[in-house]
Amino acid sequence: MSAWLWLVGAASAGIAAAPFLRERRRPIMDAQARRAAPGEFAPLPLGETHYRWAGQARGPVAVCVHGLTTPSFVWEALLPELSRLGFRVLVYDLYGRGFSDRPAGRQDAAFFTGQLDALLADMLEEDEAITLIGYSMGGAIATAYAARRPERLRSLVLIAPAGMGHDLGPLARFARGAPLFGDWLFLAGYPRQLRRGIAEEAAAGRESAVPDMAERQAAELRWRGFLPAVKASLRGILARPMEAEHRAISRAGVPVLAIWGREDPVIPLSGLGRLVQWNRVARQEVVEGAGHGLVHTHPAEVAEAMRDFVEDPPG
């Protein structure tokens, strides 16, 4: 009987340790891995940040902030559209994603706005105003930054923005609220959930204009630190509504445009009504037939929704 109990205990310990061991065995994003990276790197306080410039050689600067699981390549289809709108565009990888470093710790608003502030200080003059464009979780980051540094912004564009109600599924909700067992369950189950979500987006018939989008997004799972970064964001920047920040942006008079996908299951269209309550002068547009991936499935429509606003922002 004792041998049987020992075997059960050993098997249980192995099951418990397996997700953590898999994470430790994943390759590190290091100098060798970065040899394939386009663009350049900025040595910021919490680590190397991958960035690149696109669009016009001169003109107003647009800074694009990507979402929870898709690095800066998610913008590739929209970059030519932003260039046609006259922008010089800066895209970068958030900590924990793409070619950037994976620092540990809580990924809250201060974590992400600190990265953006340091990058802008490295790239631009202090008095150079920007159009800040945030997609999905990047919308929450852009909102937090605009509330803290409204003087830096010419305008704010939010595309399917988090912070006004979102549904990332039961696993994400559980992991956010259960620090111990949630860690194990997230490492064990989230890769399958992410792959399923990628497949469902493709099955919906919304073809991505970014080459190999699904494969590149799924490839993030192979790097050490990606899953902990996603979990840290769920417990940080994505843990609460951003009503206070939106009301502060409204008081500061920052021009805001929000663009929504009509069929987005992740950031539902109900966020439009919530934003109306928090910022009555924000302009809002809806892209018909678009899901959550509208920046790469409907880039022309997103750019068209932006055109009048960026050429002559209100205020």
Side-chain angles (χ1 to χ4, degrees):
M1 187 67 176
S2 59
W4 172 250
L5 290 175
W6 183 90
L7 287 173
V8 170
S12 299
I15 292 171
F20 300 98
L21 292 175
R22 279 197 296 270
E23 174 64 19
R24 291 294 301 171
R25 293 193 188 107
R26 290 186 172 103
I28 297 171
M29 179 55 63
D30 57 13
Q32 182 176 355
R34 291 182 173 123
R35 291 174 62 185
E40 301 177 68
F41 290 86
L44 303 186
L46 293 183
E48 295 284 333
T49 292
H50 172 241
Y51 72 91
R52 56 179 166 147
W53 287 96
Q56 301 293 329
R58 297 178 180 273
V61 173
V63 180
C64 297
V65 189
H66 67 76
L68 178 66
T69 62
T70 49
S72 58
F73 60 70
V74 77
W75 298 106
E76 287 179 5
L78 191 60
L79 291 178
E81 304 288 346
L82 294 175
S83 180
R84 281 188 277 273
L85 290 175
F87 284 113
R88 184 163 59 107
V89 188
L90 176 64
V91 300
Y92 70 102
D93 288 335
L94 296 170
Y95 288 135
R97 288 89 175 164
F99 291 103
S100 289
D101 274 344
R102 274 88 166 127
R106 183 178 176 83
Q107 296 195 356
D108 55 12
F111 177 88
F112 286 118
T113 58
Q115 182 187 20
L116 179 53
D117 231 357
L119 182 64
L120 293 181
D122 202 53
M123 299 289 109
L124 302 173
E125 298 295 331
E126 178 66 25
D127 60 352
E128 187 169 1
I130 64 171
T131 292
L132 188 57
I133 305 174
Y135 164 56
S136 193
M137 183 181 79
I141 295 168
T143 296
Y145 189 83
R148 295 180 183 205
R149 298 293 307 276
E151 74 283 356
R152 289 301 312 262
L153 268 65
R154 180 174 181 265
S155 59
L156 175 65
V157 179
L158 304 173
I159 305 172
M164 285 170 271
H166 51 265
D167 184 8
L168 300 176
L171 177 59
R173 291 195 297 271
F174 182 84
R176 185 170 59 200
L180 297 177
F181 182 60
D183 291 351
W184 178 89
L185 189 62
F186 188 84
L187 289 175
Y190 190 75
R192 179 180 296 179
Q193 178 179 307
L194 179 60
R195 292 189 181 97
R196 184 171 62 245
I198 295 169
E200 289 172 353
E201 180 74 14
R206 304 183 188 99
E207 186 175 350
S208 177
V210 173
D212 303 318
M213 177 68 195
E215 292 81 2
R216 292 163 77 182
Q217 186 178 2
E220 287 294 295
L221 290 165
R222 74 180 293 263
W223 297 104
R224 190 190 305 178
F226 172 74
L227 288 171
V230 172
K231 177 166 56 67
S233 294
L234 293 172
R235 293 173 177 172
I237 188 75
L238 295 176
R240 63 173 181 82
M242 305 200 74
E243 178 177 358
E245 288 86 349
H246 281 287
R247 292 191 183 277
I249 291 167
S250 179
R251 289 193 299 270
V254 176
V256 176
L257 169 67
I259 304 173
W260 310 86
R262 174 72 72 182
E263 299 174 15
D264 189 341
V266 178
I267 309 290
L269 199 55
S270 58
L272 186 154
R274 193 164 288 116
L275 182 57
V276 168
Q277 298 174 22
W278 299 345
N279 186 344
R280 294 188 179 277
V281 299
R283 188 180 299 181
Q284 310 211 50
E285 301 284 347
V286 178
V287 177
E288 299 296 335
H292 190 60
L294 68 170
V295 296
H296 62 93
T297 61
H298 293 70
E301 291 87 343
V302 169
E304 187 58 34
M306 292 175 58
R307 186 175 305 279
D308 290 342
F309 177 80
V310 299
E311 290 178 354
D312 184 24

